[in-house]
């Protein structure tokens, strides 16, 4: 019987532990990083890499990127169990970006606990996050699946391409965040999501396609599926933040109006600025720019977003993107179970409460 | 006539500007990052990437890594002018690590001006620094020198290997920095330098060897030359910091006792801890651990370092490493001018005042 999505998690964590063990010793360091010229300090590496990385991973996370990779591998007719080390590539990359993003955003909390730079110091957290950009690429050189050279080269080139776009997207997001006026167009917002979040999805899909030796049109179709799903998911996140804050699914509290407090430029904010009268727009901008906001001010901003129909519009956009994602994979004629699992990912976009 | 080392700088900066132009427009974004799915924001990318990157580059820096790469290329009998884009790879990587290191160390000043995270905000600086880890790798995919696939794959694998070791070295350094006791051995200190600084040097040398299709033993010899030179250079840096602070080449002021103030574990500190009596060792440790120090306390620490013969011992070690570096390239039978230039790099290690 084929595994369900959640069944994979323990095996994925075991594969991650093969790359970054929970306990660091000299044998691991020599086998993974090569012989030292002089002498390694395994205790230091324990504290600088393994501890922060496993702290974050053990806080949860569903390993969706690794699971989606394995779904594709299976859909392409290969045995997912043979490709577990490769499934770690997007998963470790993703968790690395989380650590770095939290430093960049000055985030306080991650998965219910202090963000890593609070517990470990900014220096350790950042270096661990950045190390996670390169640690998993070692899998391609180790080549446990004995891939031919052209596929390994294609994987490196794909990763370079997508990771460049990731930093482009993060650059756009940060830049808007620091500006005193909402300037981005809805299309630029979608591009930011496509780059920042979508590229990790594209890595998942393209890596599976490259490894399973799929033709370019299949690689591009699954990449678009993953990108569209990721963009829809990001918009879903922005919607949830507003909906929960409006009290429909939550209450006042720590999570109340997160995105408003942060002054984030979301698709909802862009839409609300365009659709509101000039006085409302000015007020929304003021609240977004303020260093701190009262609950009443946050509610005022949320109400402008709601009154301008921005929630409904964003929801429609997210559902449309999810439908586009499903349309991308339809012609690929995956088996029924793979098709069902891939559709499930796109349906999760809006229909969730966390 | 062949160019001198300094002659290359303008051409190197032009090559960097081909990768990251001073003025960002849509044409550049589309040609470098591929077509947008929706719409790019060139103004945002100008502010998020191009401005901070060029601000740092325009502050100076001798582009030694790019120059050394071109010296190797010429020594291997190729025309350096044809490989300028590849020379940017280690140079941009190096400058990216500078931005990230400054965030990790909480540095105030870089090349005489505020560190980038002070001028641009931590988020912009970090993202720009991280982007510089991937931007130059694009050269391998663009492949302006039309390299065969096996060399491009070898370059990616080499870069992954060395960049993993870079983060290992930085992890050791950070870890010691945060500890309340000097615990590292001299051999571990050298390893930290070999990883953190040496790997960038190894990238310079190995990339040139891979591109010029040199046999593995030549690639390894030039890699060792570059690593040894880099380690010697790092020890030279540590020596200069103490010497300048002891007033032999400087005076009290902003730069007085930098490494002591930061509590850095250097080869000199490790040696001084080992060679001093227990009272002196305890005092040195106290001063290194303190959140702030008076000039008198810094001078006390410097004097312990001097009295224990740590300066002389470190100088001897650096000169020995530089000699080892020269010995590595001797059997390679480079032409006279290449040999002279490569020796020049190793002689610069100690014999400098900045």
């Amino acid at each position: 019987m084929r595994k369900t999505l959640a069944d994979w998690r323990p095996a994925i964590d075991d594969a991650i532990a093969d790359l970054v063990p929970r306990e660091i010793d000299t044998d691991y360091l020599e086998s993974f990083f090569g012989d030292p010229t002089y002498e390694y300090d395994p205790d230091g590496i324990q504290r600088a890499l393994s501890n922060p990385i496993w702290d974050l991973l053990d806080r949860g996370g569903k390993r969706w990127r690794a699971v989606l990779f394995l779904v594709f591998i299976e859909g392409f007719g290969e045995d997912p169990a043979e490709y577990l080390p490769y499934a770690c590539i997007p998963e470790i990359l993703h968790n690395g970006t989380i650590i770095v993003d939290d430093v960049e955003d000055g985030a306080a909390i991650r998965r219910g606990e202090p963000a890593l730079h609070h517990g470990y110091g900014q220096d350790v957290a950042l270096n661990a996050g950045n190390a996670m950009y390169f640690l998993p690429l070692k899998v391609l050189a180790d080549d446990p699946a004995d891939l031919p050279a052209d596929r390994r080269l294609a994987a490196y080139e794909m990763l370079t391409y997508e990771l460049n776009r990731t930093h482009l997207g993060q650059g756009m997001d940060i830049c808007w965040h620091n500006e005193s006026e909402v300037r981005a167009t809805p299309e630029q917002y979608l591009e930011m999501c496509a780059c920042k979040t979508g590229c990790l999805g594209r890595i998942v899909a393209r890596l599976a396609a490259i490894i399973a030796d799929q033709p370019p049109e299949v690689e591009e179709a699954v990449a678009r599926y993953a990108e569209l799903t990721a963009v829809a998911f990001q918009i879903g996140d922005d919607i949830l933040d507003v909906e929960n804050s409006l009290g429909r699914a939550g209450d006042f509290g720590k999570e109340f109006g997160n995105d408003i407090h942060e002054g984030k430029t979301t698709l909802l904010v862009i839409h609300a600025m365009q659709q509101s009268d000039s006085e409302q727009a000015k007020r929304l901008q003021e609240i977004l720019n303020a260093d701190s906001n009262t609950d009443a001010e946050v509610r005022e901003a949320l109400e402008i977003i709601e009154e301008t129909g921005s929630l409904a519009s964003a929801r429609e956009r997210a559902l449309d993107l999810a439908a586009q994602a499903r349309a991308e994979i339809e012609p690929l004629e995956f088996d029924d179970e793979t098709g069902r699992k891939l559709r499930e990912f796109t349906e999760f976009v809006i229909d969730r409460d966390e």
Side-chain angles (χ1 to χ4, degrees), chain A:
Chain A
M1 214 186 83
R2 282 163 66 170
K3 291 197 180 196
T4 66
L5 297 178
D7 287 344
W8 280 111
R9 206 188 136 163
I12 291 164
D13 280 13
D14 286 347
I16 295 175
D18 285 340
L19 289 171
V20 189
R22 288 174 183 275
E23 306 292 334
I24 301 288
D25 59 25
T26 305
D27 283 350
Y28 158 71
L29 291 174
E30 289 180 356
S31 73
F32 193 91
F33 294 94
D35 286 332
T37 310
Y38 305 95
E39 182 191 350
Y40 285 134
D41 171 23
D43 290 350
I45 301 306
Q46 179 75 44
R47 283 193 281 279
L49 293 183
S50 180
N51 289 355
I53 291 172
W54 279 105
D55 182 346
L56 179 67
L57 292 172
D58 284 338
R59 292 180 188 189
K62 300 203 170 59
R63 315 284 187 260
W64 281 136
R65 286 155 193 85
V67 172
L68 178 58
F69 171 88
L70 296 171
V71 170
F72 277 126
I73 287 288
E74 197 163 34
F76 293 139
E78 304 283 340
D79 177 7
E82 279 179 37
Y83 295 92
L84 279 164
Y86 300 89
C88 302
I89 295 176
E91 193 59 45
I92 297 178
L93 285 172
H94 163 68
N95 280 280
T97 65
I98 280 182
I99 298 175
V100 175
D101 282 8
D102 280 351
V103 173
E104 290 174 357
D105 298 345
I109 300 289
R110 170 59 63 182
R111 295 178 187 158
E113 293 180 45
L116 255 70
H117 57 282
H118 288 293
Y120 293 85
Q122 186 158 282
D123 48 3
V124 170
L126 252 185
N127 187 61
N130 277 176
M132 292 163 89
Y133 293 177
F134 297 102
L135 285 168
L137 306 195
K138 177 79 169 6
V139 173
L140 294 174
D142 286 350
D143 196 23
D146 208 12
L147 300 173
D150 61 335
R151 283 190 236 167
R152 285 153 61 208
L153 179 58
Y156 279 114
E157 294 195 340
M158 178 276 288
L159 284 161
T160 300
Y161 178 85
E162 301 295 350
L163 289 169
N164 267 317
R165 285 173 61 91
T166 305
H167 288 87
L168 201 69
Q170 177 72 347
M172 287 164 76
D173 197 17
I174 287 171
C175 180
W176 300 337
H177 194 215
N178 292 338
E179 286 173 352
S180 57
E181 256 180 68
V182 173
R183 181 178 60 78
T185 65
E187 294 297 292
Q188 287 174 336
Y189 181 80
L190 296 178
E191 186 65 32
M192 183 278 286
C193 297
C195 288
K196 178 178 166 157
T197 319
C199 284
L200 250 315
R202 292 176 60 93
I203 287 173
V204 170
R206 294 185 67 187
L207 188 62
I210 289 168
I211 285 173
D213 203 19
Q214 296 297 302
E217 61 276 15
V218 172
E219 182 180 334
E220 193 41 39
V222 292
R224 280 193 303 262
Y225 157 88
E227 178 182 313
L228 286 158
T229 304
V231 175
F233 199 90
Q234 182 57 54
I235 298 173
D237 248 12
D238 299 341
I239 293 171
L240 273 171
D241 183 83
V242 171
E243 279 192 342
N244 287 343
S245 303
L246 278 165
R248 294 201 179 143
D251 223 326
F252 287 97
K254 215 164 41 184
E255 306 290 315
F256 176 68
N258 264 344
D259 289 352
I260 302 288
H261 278 298
E262 280 183 28
K264 253 178 86 173
T265 299
T266 66
L267 191 61
L268 292 86
V269 163
I270 294 169
H271 185 270
M273 292 298 289
Q274 288 180 340
Q275 299 300 317
S276 54
D277 60 43
S278 65
E279 204 169 320
Q280 272 185 319
K282 190 167 156 253
R283 185 64 189 137
L284 180 55
Q285 187 71 71
E286 273 172 12
I287 296 171
L288 290 168
N289 290 352
D291 285 339
S292 72
N293 293 118
T294 63
D295 283 349
E297 285 166 338
V298 170
R299 177 162 287 278
E300 196 183 339
L302 293 167
E303 278 163 5
I304 295 172
I305 289 170
E306 195 182 28
E307 283 164 20
T308 48
S310 306
L311 265 175
S313 158
R315 172 184 290 273
E316 198 179 314
R317 191 70 182 245
L319 290 172
D320 181 48
L321 289 163
Q324 283 180 46
R326 289 189 290 276
E328 287 289 349
I329 50 166
E330 204 143 312
L332 301 186
E333 297 180 356
F334 281 115
D335 64 277
D336 288 351
E337 192 170 333
T338 300
R340 182 181 58 69
K341 285 174 178 168
L342 291 178
R343 281 192 301 278
E344 216 172 285
F345 275 97
T346 70
E347 283 152 9
F348 186 62
V349 162
I350 295 288
D351 197 16
R352 60 193 162 111
D353 57 8
E354 56 154 351

